[in-house]
Amino acid sequence: MHQPPIPEIESADPEIADLITDEARRQFEKIRLIPSENYVSLAVLEAAGTVLTNKYSEGYPGRRYYEGQQFIDQIETIAMDRAKALFGVDHANVQPYSGSPANLAVYLAFAQPGDTIMGMSLPMGGHLTHGWPVSATGKWFRAVQYGVRRDTGRVDLDEVRDLALRERPKVIFCGGTAIPRTIDFPAFASIAAEAGAILVADIAHIAGLIAGGAHPSPAGHAPVITTTTHKTLRGPRGAMIMSTAEHASALDRAVFPGLQGGPHNHTTAAIAVALREAAQPEFRDYARQVVANGKALAGALLARGYDLVSGGTDNHLILVDLTSKGIGGKPAAKALDRAGIEVNYNTVPFDTRKPFDPSGIRIGTPAITTRGLREEHMAPIAAWIDEAIAAAIKEDEPAIERIAADVREFLAAFPMPGWSPQP
Ligand SMILES: *Cc1c(COP(=O)(O)O)cnc(C)c1O
């Protein structure tokens, strides 16, 4: 059953209602290990499904281009205040539609087309919007990119410094989508200061860990911080840009009118609700447990002979290099999905295979931790992963189906917010 229930969709549009229910069941029955995903609370779900979606609010609280903002202004102001308090920053803009537009707004605020910008390359763990060639950020700017060290699998800070001093980028992005280790914000800050660049900490993946005290904060080191709200932060799909007072108006102008029109007010309310949840003591327990589960799962995979990029994890994310197992990331991810374990295939640093058929899989613990899984559940999950990969290599489909059935039975004891199999 859906909570909140969806009787109107069921009667008005049964085709879509059925597909929503299928997706809910899929989320319930699978061990969801995609590190950028989560399960939001009922309160966040409710906020995102309200009549706030009916309202246009171009502008900012107190300075709108449409009338009727008596309540929307209050909601957005509360969301901004909660973000500022939670992350210890002077300014927060909660309007970006998602993480990619948030990063585009940062470029719009600080760089001109053709300027040099710097970020981590995508195959090394960076995000598309950090200057990868197929992205607008790689087409419209002169992107220089850093990676990780071959011997350690960790960000090569010597390379970052050399590149920054030689190329003098306007902005330097730190953070990424496949970085299993703690980001050294003070080190990036001193490099950016030396190079005369603006440091942007893109904390999309780790915002919830930072809010919960399980990863160091970039506040006080990076004058600009971007984040999605829907990954470890466990809010609705959306994003925020946070900054020092100095950069506030440039960033606000870049989001609106520079890049966007009206903000998604239902999302803003859901962000506010999620930020309140993230400020509670239980969220600190959650963030700590995400990392504890990450370390336990990494340990269990290492014990089964898996190669992990950088040898393990400090956070919620594990990058597995399957080269020594003799299977590509894509067939492994597809077999795991059939076995009820959802991961994504991913390039590993210095990958010798093609990007659409890379050597790795990327796994993470935010969603399963929300379901209530703890360290003791990580060894069984590693065992299922290992068995499913072995079965994929042997093309043993019945074994994969047996694992999926075991996974379904196991997860039935861990409720998810928003849907339960009971009618
Ligand atoms: C997920 C992510 C983004 C982009 O977020 P979208 O909401 O998918 O546009 C940007 N940067 C990093 C580091 C991310 O992990």
Side-chain angles (χ1 to χ4, degrees), residues 294-323:
K295 288 180 191 292
L297 186 54
L301 288 166
L302 286 168
R304 288 179 175 272
Y306 284 83
D307 294 327
L308 308 185
V309 171
S310 83
T313 184
D314 296 330
N315 55 32
H316 65 300
L317 184 148
I318 300 163
L319 198 51
V320 185
D321 184 344
L322 292 170
T323 307

Side-chain angles (χ1 to χ4, degrees), residues 190-230:
S190 81
I191 291 168
E194 226 184 319
I198 292 175
L199 179 65
V200 184
D202 181 347
I203 60 168
H205 261 262
I206 53 176
L209 305 184
I210 291 167
H215 186 290
S217 170
H221 302 294
V224 179
I225 300 167
T226 61
T227 185
T228 56
T229 46
H230 48 270

Side-chain angles (χ1 to χ4, degrees), residues 39-235:
Y39 297 90
V40 299
S41 71
L42 275 184
V44 169
L45 267 186
E46 285 182 2
T50 57
V51 295
L52 301 185
T53 194
N54 296 340
K55 184 75 193 116
Y56 244 108
S57 311
E58 284 185 0
Y60 291 102
R63 308 173 268 143
R64 305 282 192 187
Y65 290 82
Y66 294 74
E67 296 313 310
Q69 310 296 346
Q70 291 82 355
F71 309 107
I72 298 295
D73 273 6
Q74 295 181 54
I75 290 169
E76 186 168 338
T77 301
I78 290 170
M80 292 161 60
D81 288 345
R82 287 179 182 169
K84 287 190 273 185
L86 187 62
F87 289 96
V89 292
D90 297 336
H91 179 68
N93 184 312
V94 298
Q95 295 192 5
Y97 299 141
S98 213
S100 301
N103 286 346
L104 280 184
V106 170
Y107 292 108
L108 188 60
F110 301 121
Q112 296 294 320
D115 279 351
T116 302
I117 57 105
M118 182 168 154
M120 193 180 205
S121 83
L122 180 72
M124 291 286 183
H127 189 258
L128 279 165
T129 55
H130 297 178
W132 192 240
V134 300
S135 153
T137 63
K139 291 183 193 289
W140 296 344
F141 303 104
R142 188 178 151 269
V144 294
Q145 302 224 285
Y146 59 88
V148 298
R149 288 176 61 98
R150 201 182 266 276
D151 54 346
T152 61
R154 292 172 187 244
V155 172
D156 191 340
L157 287 166
D158 295 331
E159 183 193 10
V160 172
R161 182 170 178 274
D162 290 349
L163 204 58
L165 294 181
R166 191 171 69 233
E167 305 288 351
R168 300 280 166 178
K170 283 269 176 61
V171 295
I172 298 175
F173 272 81
C174 63
T177 61
I179 305 176
R181 295 295 180 176
T182 301
I183 315 267
D184 189 343
F185 296 120
F188 272 100
S190 81
I191 291 168
E194 226 184 319
I198 292 175
L199 179 65
V200 184
D202 181 347
I203 60 168
H205 261 262
I206 53 176
L209 305 184
I210 291 167
H215 186 290
S217 170
H221 302 294
V224 179
I225 300 167
T226 61
T227 185
T228 56
T229 46
H230 48 270
K231 298 180 185 175
T232 50
L233 193 56
R234 217 160 63 178

